[in-house]
Amino acid sequence: MTLRTSTPEIEGIYQGSKYLKHHVLCDVSELNCLFSVLQSFEIYPLTGINDGLPIEKERFLQEYGTWIEELKQGRVPTDSSLRKVLACAFSAESDALWKQLVPKERYLIKMAKPCVQVQAHFFTYSPIDGVFRPMTMGQASIFWGLQFSFPQIYQDPKSMEFFEIDESPNAELFQKIKQWTRDMTRATPFVVEGKRVNVPIRLGKNCFSWIHNHPQLIEQKIGVYAC
């Protein structure tokens, strides 16, 4: 789909709230399975200046696959690699996004309606209170795949009215992600100080055979119960 070129004066500022979120570390074959389930959708970057075109799904899968291969080899993906697709939007609606022209014929991608927002996901574990906290950054943060999020309420950027999101192509997209998460991943059974703790942060079923190689888990003495 081709995004329209517009301006903030015309489009207004989109805002969403009450986000539902799924945090998932899966392998590339499991992510490819998700893409097959989602079928007709496009991926657009939400950070940085770009050419205004969608990110090819094959490129996204290839980039994600390099992250997983790094983990399998006991290495943390580089920050520069993660930033290539650090934040993006999955959308099945052509009018949910627009592009703003900036100098040198480049663009910023903006949202006009709710999209599935996708980010590189990190979590932290606090030995003080024994709590795993998703989507937290810091020196002790642990890379853990992707976060998929979608709002339950949004404010129309033109009318300024608030709407609850019941049905839309992008809401359906998120529901498919939710079902895929249930089918292809599990709540992660972490092991800390000899105790098993099931955490809503999800792990792909194909990842249990190699997750013990994750260098940040090793560094913080966090295991995953292999069943």
Side-chain angles (χ1 to χ4, degrees), residues 162-191:
F162 288 93
F163 294 94
E164 291 188 10
I165 304 166
D166 296 322
E167 295 183 2
S168 73
N170 282 344
E172 183 180 349
L173 208 66
F174 189 71
Q175 286 301 314
K176 290 180 179 179
I177 292 171
K178 179 181 179 180
Q179 188 60 52
W180 167 84
T181 300
R182 289 177 175 175
D183 294 342
M184 302 295 292
T185 73
R186 291 184 51 206
T188 308
F190 287 113
V191 179

Side-chain angles (χ1 to χ4, degrees), residues 29-209:
S29 67
E30 290 166 326
L31 186 61
N32 186 49
C33 178
L34 172 62
F35 281 19
S36 298
V37 169
L38 298 182
Q39 297 182 342
S40 299
F41 75 104
E42 298 285 0
I43 305 172
Y44 280 93
L46 294 177
T47 57
I49 298 171
N50 55 75
D51 56 11
L53 298 175
I55 300 171
E56 293 181 358
K57 297 182 182 72
E58 292 77 13
R59 179 196 159 200
F60 190 99
L61 288 168
Q62 183 179 28
E63 195 66 42
Y64 183 82
T66 63
W67 303 352
I68 299 306
E69 287 305 314
E70 289 284 291
L71 291 182
K72 288 181 178 180
Q73 299 301 318
R75 298 188 296 268
V76 182
T78 63
D79 185 63
S80 60
S81 170
L82 295 175
R83 287 184 184 277
K84 290 181 181 178
V85 285
L86 184 61
C88 59
F90 287 11
S91 181
E93 301 178 58
S94 59
D95 62 345
L97 297 147
W98 58 279
K99 57 187 180 182
Q100 179 182 353
L101 182 65
V102 296
K104 298 183 179 180
E105 295 297 316
R106 305 285 281 175
Y107 297 92
L108 296 171
I109 306 297
K110 306 282 188 178
M111 285 193 296
K113 296 167 60 177
C115 300
V116 178
Q117 293 175 246
V118 184
Q119 298 169 267
H121 171 247
F122 300 81
F123 74 86
T124 57
Y125 170 74
S126 171
I128 297 173
D129 56 12
V131 175
F132 289 83
R133 293 184 172 86
M135 213 57 194
T136 50
M137 300 292 291
Q139 190 173 2
S141 62
I142 296 171
F143 169 67
W144 201 262
L146 300 170
Q147 172 181 276
F148 301 92
S149 61
F150 192 77
Q152 298 180 75
I153 297 174
Y154 83 101
Q155 184 178 32
D156 185 276
K158 295 180 180 179
S159 69
M160 305 303 289
E161 292 183 78
F162 288 93
F163 294 94
E164 291 188 10
I165 304 166
D166 296 322
E167 295 183 2
S168 73
N170 282 344
E172 183 180 349
L173 208 66
F174 189 71
Q175 286 301 314
K176 290 180 179 179
I177 292 171
K178 179 181 179 180
Q179 188 60 52
W180 167 84
T181 300
R182 289 177 175 175
D183 294 342
M184 302 295 292
T185 73
R186 291 184 51 206
T188 308
F190 287 113
V191 179
V192 183
E193 296 180 353
K195 298 180 180 179
R196 176 176 169 177
V197 183
N198 277 0
V199 178
I201 297 170
R202 310 287 293 191
L203 181 62
K205 295 177 182 178
N206 291 347
C207 301
F208 279 83
S209 62

